[in-house]
Amino acid sequence: RELRTIRNLTFWGLESVLFEKYKFTEDEAHQLASFLQDMLVLDPRRRVSARNALQHAWLSDGAHGPGEPSREEQRLLDDIAHLTKKHSKTRRK
């Protein structure tokens, strides 16, 4: 109900919010916004996969080669794949 009373809502892009409000550097704000926006796509067919999200430049920390998931990341990917298959089988029934 409160949103109905807002008359002048000004668009404030995610990158600008990160830079202006949260004081990220411009490069950090750009990288993080790119990472988040890829995951927030409403159409699941166009949304970034977990595997590709983990390869995003914002997450690269130099601990392992580019495109090569760490042990923890691989475990997460395996869990997501397992849950996705399990969910797909449940929905078909």
mmCIF file of all heavy atoms in Angstrom, residues 14 18 29-41 48 56 58:
data_model
loop_
_atom_site.group_PDB
_atom_site.id
_atom_site.type_symbol
_atom_site.label_atom_id
_atom_site.label_comp_id
_atom_site.label_asym_id
_atom_site.label_seq_id
_atom_site.Cartn_x
_atom_site.Cartn_y
_atom_site.Cartn_z
ATOM 1 N N LEU A 14 21.419 0.006 -10.633
ATOM 2 C CA LEU A 14 22.174 -0.752 -9.654
ATOM 3 C C LEU A 14 23.630 -0.306 -9.579
ATOM 4 O O LEU A 14 24.181 -0.122 -8.489
ATOM 5 C CB LEU A 14 22.101 -2.252 -9.988
ATOM 6 C CG LEU A 14 22.844 -3.200 -9.072
ATOM 7 C CD1 LEU A 14 22.381 -3.057 -7.628
ATOM 8 C CD2 LEU A 14 22.668 -4.625 -9.550
ATOM 9 N N LEU A 18 25.471 1.203 -6.209
ATOM 10 C CA LEU A 18 26.693 0.640 -5.631
ATOM 11 C C LEU A 18 27.804 1.679 -5.538
ATOM 12 O O LEU A 18 28.539 1.731 -4.552
ATOM 13 C CB LEU A 18 27.159 -0.556 -6.468
ATOM 14 C CG LEU A 18 26.230 -1.771 -6.468
ATOM 15 C CD1 LEU A 18 26.665 -2.778 -7.528
ATOM 16 C CD2 LEU A 18 26.176 -2.405 -5.089
ATOM 17 N N ALA A 29 31.816 -1.411 -8.884
ATOM 18 C CA ALA A 29 30.366 -1.269 -9.060
ATOM 19 C C ALA A 29 29.929 -1.864 -10.391
ATOM 20 O O ALA A 29 28.916 -2.563 -10.470
ATOM 21 C CB ALA A 29 29.958 0.197 -8.977
ATOM 22 N N HIS A 30 30.699 -1.615 -11.434
ATOM 23 C CA HIS A 30 30.382 -2.155 -12.751
ATOM 24 C C HIS A 30 30.429 -3.684 -12.734
ATOM 25 O O HIS A 30 29.518 -4.357 -13.223
ATOM 26 C CB HIS A 30 31.338 -1.600 -13.806
ATOM 27 C CG HIS A 30 31.139 -2.187 -15.159
ATOM 28 N ND1 HIS A 30 30.071 -1.858 -15.961
ATOM 29 C CD2 HIS A 30 31.857 -3.113 -15.836
ATOM 30 C CE1 HIS A 30 30.141 -2.553 -17.076
ATOM 31 N NE2 HIS A 30 31.214 -3.327 -17.023
ATOM 32 N N GLN A 31 31.502 -4.239 -12.168
ATOM 33 C CA GLN A 31 31.659 -5.695 -12.125
ATOM 34 C C GLN A 31 30.564 -6.367 -11.295
ATOM 35 O O GLN A 31 29.976 -7.364 -11.716
ATOM 36 C CB GLN A 31 33.037 -6.071 -11.549
ATOM 37 C CG GLN A 31 34.191 -5.746 -12.449
ATOM 38 C CD GLN A 31 34.237 -6.648 -13.675
ATOM 39 O OE1 GLN A 31 33.753 -7.770 -13.667
ATOM 40 N NE2 GLN A 31 34.817 -6.142 -14.742
ATOM 41 N N LEU A 32 30.274 -5.826 -10.115
ATOM 42 C CA LEU A 32 29.264 -6.424 -9.247
ATOM 43 C C LEU A 32 27.869 -6.299 -9.860
ATOM 44 O O LEU A 32 27.087 -7.242 -9.829
ATOM 45 C CB LEU A 32 29.295 -5.790 -7.855
ATOM 46 C CG LEU A 32 28.260 -6.307 -6.852
ATOM 47 C CD1 LEU A 32 28.304 -7.817 -6.717
ATOM 48 C CD2 LEU A 32 28.464 -5.639 -5.498
ATOM 49 N N ALA A 33 27.572 -5.144 -10.431
ATOM 50 C CA ALA A 33 26.264 -4.952 -11.069
ATOM 51 C C ALA A 33 26.096 -5.940 -12.225
ATOM 52 O O ALA A 33 25.031 -6.532 -12.389
ATOM 53 C CB ALA A 33 26.114 -3.519 -11.561
ATOM 54 N N SER A 34 27.136 -6.138 -12.992
ATOM 55 C CA SER A 34 27.095 -7.088 -14.104
ATOM 56 C C SER A 34 26.824 -8.496 -13.580
ATOM 57 O O SER A 34 25.990 -9.230 -14.118
ATOM 58 C CB SER A 34 28.419 -7.053 -14.865
ATOM 59 O OG SER A 34 28.505 -8.105 -15.783
ATOM 60 N N PHE A 35 27.500 -8.876 -12.514
ATOM 61 C CA PHE A 35 27.318 -10.193 -11.894
ATOM 62 C C PHE A 35 25.881 -10.372 -11.409
ATOM 63 O O PHE A 35 25.228 -11.367 -11.705
ATOM 64 C CB PHE A 35 28.310 -10.322 -10.732
ATOM 65 C CG PHE A 35 28.134 -11.553 -9.902
ATOM 66 C CD1 PHE A 35 28.419 -12.806 -10.417
ATOM 67 C CD2 PHE A 35 27.711 -11.457 -8.598
ATOM 68 C CE1 PHE A 35 28.270 -13.947 -9.642
ATOM 69 C CE2 PHE A 35 27.559 -12.590 -7.809
ATOM 70 C CZ PHE A 35 27.841 -13.843 -8.342
ATOM 71 N N LEU A 36 25.367 -9.390 -10.683
ATOM 72 C CA LEU A 36 24.022 -9.497 -10.114
ATOM 73 C C LEU A 36 22.935 -9.445 -11.185
ATOM 74 O O LEU A 36 21.976 -10.208 -11.144
ATOM 75 C CB LEU A 36 23.799 -8.379 -9.088
ATOM 76 C CG LEU A 36 24.659 -8.460 -7.827
ATOM 77 C CD1 LEU A 36 24.469 -7.211 -6.982
ATOM 78 C CD2 LEU A 36 24.339 -9.713 -7.032
ATOM 79 N N GLN A 37 23.083 -8.557 -12.147
ATOM 80 C CA GLN A 37 22.052 -8.407 -13.174
ATOM 81 C C GLN A 37 21.914 -9.671 -14.023
ATOM 82 O O GLN A 37 20.801 -10.031 -14.417
ATOM 83 C CB GLN A 37 22.329 -7.184 -14.040
ATOM 84 C CG GLN A 37 22.042 -5.909 -13.279
ATOM 85 C CD GLN A 37 22.510 -4.659 -13.996
ATOM 86 O OE1 GLN A 37 23.466 -4.698 -14.763
ATOM 87 N NE2 GLN A 37 21.847 -3.554 -13.735
ATOM 88 N N ASP A 38 23.025 -10.364 -14.264
ATOM 89 C CA ASP A 38 22.954 -11.614 -15.019
ATOM 90 C C ASP A 38 22.111 -12.659 -14.284
ATOM 91 O O ASP A 38 21.451 -13.482 -14.893
ATOM 92 C CB ASP A 38 24.351 -12.185 -15.260
ATOM 93 C CG ASP A 38 25.144 -11.405 -16.298
ATOM 94 O OD1 ASP A 38 24.550 -10.558 -16.989
ATOM 95 O OD2 ASP A 38 26.361 -11.642 -16.402
ATOM 96 N N MET A 39 22.133 -12.620 -12.950
ATOM 97 C CA MET A 39 21.379 -13.587 -12.157
ATOM 98 C C MET A 39 19.937 -13.170 -11.936
ATOM 99 O O MET A 39 19.103 -13.982 -11.561
ATOM 100 C CB MET A 39 22.058 -13.797 -10.796
ATOM 101 C CG MET A 39 23.385 -14.491 -10.920
ATOM 102 S SD MET A 39 24.077 -14.950 -9.332
ATOM 103 C CE MET A 39 24.268 -13.367 -8.551
ATOM 104 N N LEU A 40 19.623 -11.899 -12.145
ATOM 105 C CA LEU A 40 18.285 -11.386 -11.880
ATOM 106 C C LEU A 40 17.376 -11.365 -13.108
ATOM 107 O O LEU A 40 16.269 -10.856 -13.030
ATOM 108 C CB LEU A 40 18.384 -9.971 -11.279
ATOM 109 C CG LEU A 40 19.047 -9.899 -9.906
ATOM 110 C CD1 LEU A 40 19.256 -8.448 -9.494
ATOM 111 C CD2 LEU A 40 18.241 -10.656 -8.871
ATOM 112 N N VAL A 41 17.837 -11.941 -14.211
ATOM 113 C CA VAL A 41 17.002 -12.015 -15.420
ATOM 114 C C VAL A 41 15.790 -12.883 -15.099
ATOM 115 O O VAL A 41 15.927 -13.988 -14.575
ATOM 116 C CB VAL A 41 17.814 -12.600 -16.601
ATOM 117 C CG1 VAL A 41 16.930 -12.851 -17.797
ATOM 118 C CG2 VAL A 41 18.965 -11.672 -16.954
ATOM 119 N N VAL A 48 21.691 -16.457 -16.337
ATOM 120 C CA VAL A 48 23.003 -17.099 -16.298
ATOM 121 C C VAL A 48 22.924 -18.365 -15.436
ATOM 122 O O VAL A 48 22.194 -18.425 -14.446
ATOM 123 C CB VAL A 48 24.066 -16.112 -15.754
ATOM 124 C CG1 VAL A 48 23.858 -15.807 -14.282
ATOM 125 C CG2 VAL A 48 25.466 -16.624 -15.985
ATOM 126 N N HIS A 56 32.265 -15.618 -13.388
ATOM 127 C CA HIS A 56 32.210 -14.181 -13.638
ATOM 128 C C HIS A 56 33.462 -13.491 -13.082
ATOM 129 O O HIS A 56 33.999 -13.876 -12.044
ATOM 130 C CB HIS A 56 30.955 -13.592 -12.981
ATOM 131 C CG HIS A 56 30.660 -12.207 -13.431
ATOM 132 N ND1 HIS A 56 31.296 -11.116 -12.908
ATOM 133 C CD2 HIS A 56 29.805 -11.733 -14.365
ATOM 134 C CE1 HIS A 56 30.845 -10.029 -13.489
ATOM 135 N NE2 HIS A 56 29.935 -10.385 -14.384
ATOM 136 N N TRP A 58 33.847 -10.830 -11.476
ATOM 137 C CA TRP A 58 33.721 -10.261 -10.133
ATOM 138 C C TRP A 58 34.136 -11.264 -9.057
ATOM 139 O O TRP A 58 34.624 -10.886 -8.000
ATOM 140 C CB TRP A 58 32.288 -9.777 -9.884
ATOM 141 C CG TRP A 58 32.147 -9.062 -8.584
ATOM 142 C CD1 TRP A 58 32.574 -7.800 -8.291
ATOM 143 C CD2 TRP A 58 31.557 -9.572 -7.383
ATOM 144 N NE1 TRP A 58 32.294 -7.497 -6.992
ATOM 145 C CE2 TRP A 58 31.660 -8.570 -6.408
ATOM 146 C CE3 TRP A 58 30.960 -10.778 -7.047
ATOM 147 C CZ2 TRP A 58 31.184 -8.724 -5.122
ATOM 148 C CZ3 TRP A 58 30.480 -10.937 -5.762
ATOM 149 C CH2 TRP A 58 30.595 -9.918 -4.812
#
